[in-house]
């Protein structure tokens, strides 16, 4: 596939992603008015979309696949790290809130925590990250035959499908209704 076509598609998806990164920017601008976990999650979102925009620019300005692939892999890793750190902070904040609720009304049970969504988020993020990195590495190899293009497309798709299946299975086993 030609670089300009892929750059246009990436730019279009990035522009459409404003429904995620504009609220994330608002959370970041709010500063201390938002919990740390929410700001970290917002930083992860902004990092992800900035990576996509960078890849679009690199697809237009460079000829080899190496630079866009390296930028995709490099931007995805900090975004993943921020997302995992956000989940850990959120867990801490939830425990702290439960402790405060217990101190306020000892007879009431603390609010319940739902860990399933965190496990699903980690599974989906890991699958997406792995698929992105493998896809970027496959593109960096500069596939030139139809078979090479087929494996470049299907390998990340298969990895992502595996992680989506794991997430769905985890959810189904926890909530069978």
């Amino acid at each position: 596939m030609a670089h300009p076509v892929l750059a246009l598609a990436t730019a279009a998806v990035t522009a459409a992603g404003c429904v995620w990164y504009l609220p994330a920017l608002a959370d970041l601008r709010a500063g201390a008015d938002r919990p740390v976990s929410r700001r970290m999650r917002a930083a992860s979102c902004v990092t992800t979309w900035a990576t996509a925009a960078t890849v679009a620019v690199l697809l237009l300005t460079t000829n080899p696949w190496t630079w866009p692939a390296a930028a995709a892999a490099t931007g995805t890793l900090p975004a993943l790290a921020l997302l995992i750190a956000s989940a850990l902070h959120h867990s801490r904040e939830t425990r702290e809130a439960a402790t405060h609720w217990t101190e306020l009304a000892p007879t009431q049970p603390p609010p319940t925590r739902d860990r399933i969504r965190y496990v699903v988020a980690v599974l989906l993020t890991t699958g997406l990250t792995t698929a992105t990195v493998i896809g970027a590495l496959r593109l960096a190899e500069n596939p030139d035959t139809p078979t090479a293009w087929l494996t470049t497309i299907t390998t990340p798709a298969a990895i992502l499908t595996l992680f989506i299946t794991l997430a769905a299975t985890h959810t189904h086993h926890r909530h069978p209704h």
Side-chain angles (χ1 to χ4, degrees):
M1 185 175 298
H3 282 263
V5 173
L6 207 51
L8 179 63
T10 305
V13 169
T14 302
C18 68
V19 298
W20 288 288
Y21 61 77
L22 289 179
L25 285 171
D27 282 343
L28 289 174
R29 284 190 46 90
D33 288 344
R34 301 287 191 272
V36 173
S37 62
R38 189 165 172 178
R39 290 186 311 229
M40 290 179 92
R41 190 172 51 238
S44 173
C45 177
V46 170
T47 302
T48 302
W49 288 105
T51 299
T54 302
V55 168
V57 169
L58 287 173
L59 284 169
L60 282 176
T61 58
T62 62
N63 194 18
W65 288 99
T66 309
W67 290 106
T74 304
T76 302
L77 294 176
L80 176 63
L82 283 167
L83 190 61
I84 291 171
S86 168
L88 293 174
H89 272 281
H90 183 72
S91 177
R92 246 182 266 137
E93 291 165 356
T94 303
R95 280 194 308 273
E96 184 179 323
T99 302
H100 290 253
W101 277 105
T102 302
E103 290 172 3
L104 289 174
T107 58
Q108 287 183 328
T112 59
R113 297 189 328 238
D114 189 8
R115 292 182 183 257
I116 293 172
R117 65 182 175 154
Y118 298 117
V119 172
V120 169
V122 167
L123 283 170
L124 292 178
T125 304
T126 303
L128 186 58
T129 301
T130 306
T132 301
V133 169
I134 288 177
L137 291 173
R138 295 288 301 161
L139 284 175
E141 293 175 356
N142 200 11
D144 53 355
T145 65
T147 306
W149 272 108
L150 182 65
T151 59
T152 299
I153 294 168
T154 57
T155 302
I159 289 170
L160 189 57
T161 302
L162 171 70
F163 278 93
I164 289 172
T165 304
L166 288 172
T169 303
H170 179 75
T171 305
H172 179 64
H173 285 303
R174 296 293 183 160
H175 292 294
H177 37 67

